[in-house]
């Protein structure tokens, strides 16, 4: 059962695929932003001098990095209802992806904090600044600028991982293409088109990452 | 194991008692398929990188391979192989599709890892080998590969860990690996929390074990680089 690929079918269903791609982008962006909050909080615990906090953060990072995202998605999707929390699939997807991304982002931020000369915080302390304000005004802004390239990489990973949310019925690009395949019986054309859409989105993001990197290198004196 | 023993209210791991053989069979399938795909990925990655660096005509093709397999999700690559493959005459059973899919996906990442490894070896060494009349193949086998193996070990172990975690998606193309077997148990017993927690714990053990083994191997392979062992 061999057939000649006919991409006019893919073109005809492009609107459905693009709609899926929009969901993919939306879920990924929401998860990276939520992951930023999770990651920063976990990172601050991880580098905190309070032992139990640091230990809990370590356990969180180890667990969330050691569990496949598909398994994490199943856990969030099926176990939250057991606790009486009913969530739409998209919300469960964003929670699972941002928890996973948060664990990776925490390690990215840890590197960011380590790269800032300790003299800055010491100087701020000598001037009488409180610890919270030192974090908000001095450390975190610089850390975020420094880790931007890594965050773009993380977003690319998230974009690809978001395809797994199709397993919990989120109609993102992959599930949209599954639906089109079910209607047209043309897996070759549709899945190839969807794969190319992913490649295009990721190439765009990685070009963006290159620009960010070049920009940061240009103002090296300010950030270094 | 009882719920009280774990201090977790409402959990009863006794339901799993009858299913441990199924879980272990799934775990074994995961380990077996991951091992095969990591080996395939390493071979493909090394082949692609050698082609890219040494055969000018093949370089653009290698770039397309790496960009495609790194730029799209593993799940869609598996769908292409498993559901669209028969249309172009490639018919694989789920396990074979899984190994080939994961291997090709990992191969793209391994190729980039090998590239950075080769690039880290000083050119002077190869020039010296050429001056001494060593043929390029022998220089590759005796000078480049042994040094590169030590250099790429940490990123290669990382990538292998990522592949183990990604192997969970093989459940979606019906490979009876750990995740698939656990979903079966969920469907048969109508319990959700216990099987999923055991599933997560088993993956965590696999990944953490491999990571520790990688660190130990790295320490062994790089002993000669450790400055504290210098005699002078």
């Amino acid at each position: 059962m061999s057939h000649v690929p006919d991409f006019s079918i893919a073109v005809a269903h492009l609107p459905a695929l693009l709609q899926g791609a929009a969901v993919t982008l939306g879920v990924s962006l929401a998860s990276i932003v939520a992951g930023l909050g999770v990651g920063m909080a976990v990172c601050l615990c991880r580098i905190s001098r309070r032992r139990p906090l640091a230990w809990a953060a370590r356990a969180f990072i180890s667990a969330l990095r050691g569990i496949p995202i598909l398994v994490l998605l199943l856990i969030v999707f099926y176990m939250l209802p057991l606790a009486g929390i009913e969530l739409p699939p998209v919300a469960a997807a964003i929670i699972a992806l941002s928890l996973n991304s948060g664990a990776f982002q925490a390690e990215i931020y840890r590197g960011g904090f380590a790269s800032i000369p300790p003299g800055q915080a010491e100087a701020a302390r000598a001037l009488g600044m409180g610890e919270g304000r030192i974090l908000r005004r001095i450390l975190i802004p610089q850390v975020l600028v420094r880790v931007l390239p890594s965050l773009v990489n993380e977003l690319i990973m998230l974009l690809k991982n978001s395809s797994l949310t199709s397993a919990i019925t989120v109609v993102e690009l992959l599930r949209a293409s599954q639906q089109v395949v079910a209607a047209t019986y043309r897996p070759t054309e549709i899945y190839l088109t969807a794969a190319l859409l992913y490649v295009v989105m990721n190439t765009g993001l990685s070009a963006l990452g290159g620009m960010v990197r070049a920009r940061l290198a240009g103002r090296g004196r300010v950030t270094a | 194991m009882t719920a009280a023993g774990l201090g977790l209210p409402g959990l009863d791991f006794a339901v799993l008692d009858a299913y441990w053989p199924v879980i272990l069979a799934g775990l074994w399938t995961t380990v077996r398929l991951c091992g095969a795909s990591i080996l395939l990925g390493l071979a493909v990655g090394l082949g692609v990188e050698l082609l890219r660096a040494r055969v000018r005509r093949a370089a653009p093709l290698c770039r397309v391979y790496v960009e495609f397999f790194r730029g799209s999700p593993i799940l869609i690559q598996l769908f292409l192989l498993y559901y669209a493959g028969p249309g172009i005459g490639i018919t694989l059973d789920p396990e074979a599709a899984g190994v080939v899919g994961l291997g090709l996906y990992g191969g793209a990442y391994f190729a980039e890892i090998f590239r950075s490894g080769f690039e880290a070896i000083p050119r002077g060494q190869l020039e010296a080998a050429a001056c001494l009349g060593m043929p390029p193949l022998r220089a590759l086998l005796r000078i480049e590969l042994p040094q590169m193996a030590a250099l790429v070990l940490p990123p290669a172990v990382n990538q292998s860990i990522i592949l183990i975690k990604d192997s969970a998606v093989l459940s979606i193309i019906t490979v009876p690996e750990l995740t698939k077997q656990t979903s079966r148990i969920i469907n048969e017993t109508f319990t959700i929390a216990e099987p999923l927690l055991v599933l997560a714990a088993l993956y965590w053990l696999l990944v953490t074990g491999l990571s520790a083994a990688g660190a130990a191997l790295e320490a062994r392979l790089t002993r000669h680089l450790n400055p504290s062992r210098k005699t002078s």
Side-chain angles (χ1 to χ4, degrees), chain B residues 74-133:
Chain B
I74 173 69
L75 189 50
I76 205 154
Q77 294 167 17
L78 286 173
F79 279 7
L80 269 173
L81 194 61
Y82 188 61
Y83 295 116
I88 53 168
I90 304 169
T91 311
L92 296 170
D93 64 59
E95 282 199 12
V99 170
V100 173
L102 267 186
L104 289 176
Y105 174 72
Y109 286 89
F110 282 127
E112 291 290 283
I113 291 172
F114 286 133
R115 169 151 78 141
S116 67
F118 278 122
E119 279 171 1
I121 294 172
R123 308 274 356 134
Q125 293 191 9
L126 290 179
E127 286 160 13
C131 283
L132 291 169

Side-chain angles (χ1 to χ4, degrees), chain B residues 12-210:
Chain B
D12 180 11
F13 286 89
V15 282
L16 295 178
D17 281 351
Y19 287 96
W20 283 110
V22 178
I23 294 174
L24 290 180
L27 182 64
W28 170 237
T29 306
T30 287
V31 169
R32 199 162 46 84
L33 298 187
C34 285
S37 3
I38 290 167
L39 288 181
L40 178 64
L42 285 170
V44 169
L46 187 59
V48 166
E49 169 53 19
L50 287 175
L51 268 180
R52 191 200 61 78
R54 280 148 222 239
V55 184
R56 185 157 300 176
R57 282 238 186 99
L61 208 64
C62 296
R63 296 266 1 126
V64 169
Y65 164 76
V66 170
E67 289 299 323
F68 180 82
F69 282 92
R70 294 209 315 166
S72 57
I74 173 69
L75 189 50
I76 205 154
Q77 294 167 17
L78 286 173
F79 279 7
L80 269 173
L81 194 61
Y82 188 61
Y83 295 116
I88 53 168
I90 304 169
T91 311
L92 296 170
D93 64 59
E95 282 199 12
V99 170
V100 173
L102 267 186
L104 289 176
Y105 174 72
Y109 286 89
F110 282 127
E112 291 290 283
I113 291 172
F114 286 133
R115 169 151 78 141
S116 67
F118 278 122
E119 279 171 1
I121 294 172
R123 308 274 356 134
Q125 293 191 9
L126 290 179
E127 286 160 13
C131 283
L132 291 169
M134 207 184 245
L137 182 63
R138 190 181 296 172
L140 175 69
L141 293 178
R142 296 249 176 112
I143 295 176
E144 289 186 272
L145 285 181
Q147 296 189 73
M148 197 197 61
L151 283 172
V152 303
L153 188 71
V157 169
N158 260 341
Q159 186 56 42
S160 304
I161 287 174
I162 292 174
L163 284 181
I164 291 180
K165 292 194 289 165
D166 283 342
S167 76
V169 307
L170 298 189
S171 61
I172 298 176
I173 60 163
T174 72
V175 176
E177 44 68 80
L178 189 54
T179 304
K180 178 78 190 165
Q181 298 293 50
T182 312
S183 331
R184 224 189 79 198
I185 297 171
I186 291 175
N187 293 335
E188 285 177 15
T189 60
F190 302 108
T191 54
I192 297 170
E194 295 85 352
L196 281 178
L197 290 177
V198 167
L199 177 64
L202 285 176
Y203 274 112
W204 182 83
L205 280 176
L206 265 185
V207 163
T208 310
L210 182 59

Side-chain angles (χ1 to χ4, degrees), chain A residues 1-3 62-63 65-68 70-71 74-75 78-79 160 163-164 174 178 187-188 191-192 194-195 198-199 202, chain B residues 68 70-73 75-76 79-80 83-84 86-87 105 109 165 168-169 171-172 179 192-193 196 199-200 203-204 207:
Chain A
M1 51 165 283
S2 181
H3 65 256
S62 174
R65 296 208 309 176
I67 300 173
L70 183 60
V71 176
L74 296 177
I75 289 179
Y78 289 112
M79 283 179 54
K160 292 198 293 167
S163 65
L164 300 178
L174 187 54
Q178 276 178 294
T188 314
Y191 287 143
L192 256 185
Y198 276 110
V199 172
N202 279 330
Chain B
F68 180 82
R70 294 209 315 166
S72 57
L75 189 50
I76 205 154
F79 279 7
L80 269 173
Y83 295 116
Y105 174 72
Y109 286 89
K165 292 194 289 165
V169 307
S171 61
I172 298 176
T179 304
I192 297 170
L196 281 178
L199 177 64
Y203 274 112
W204 182 83
V207 163

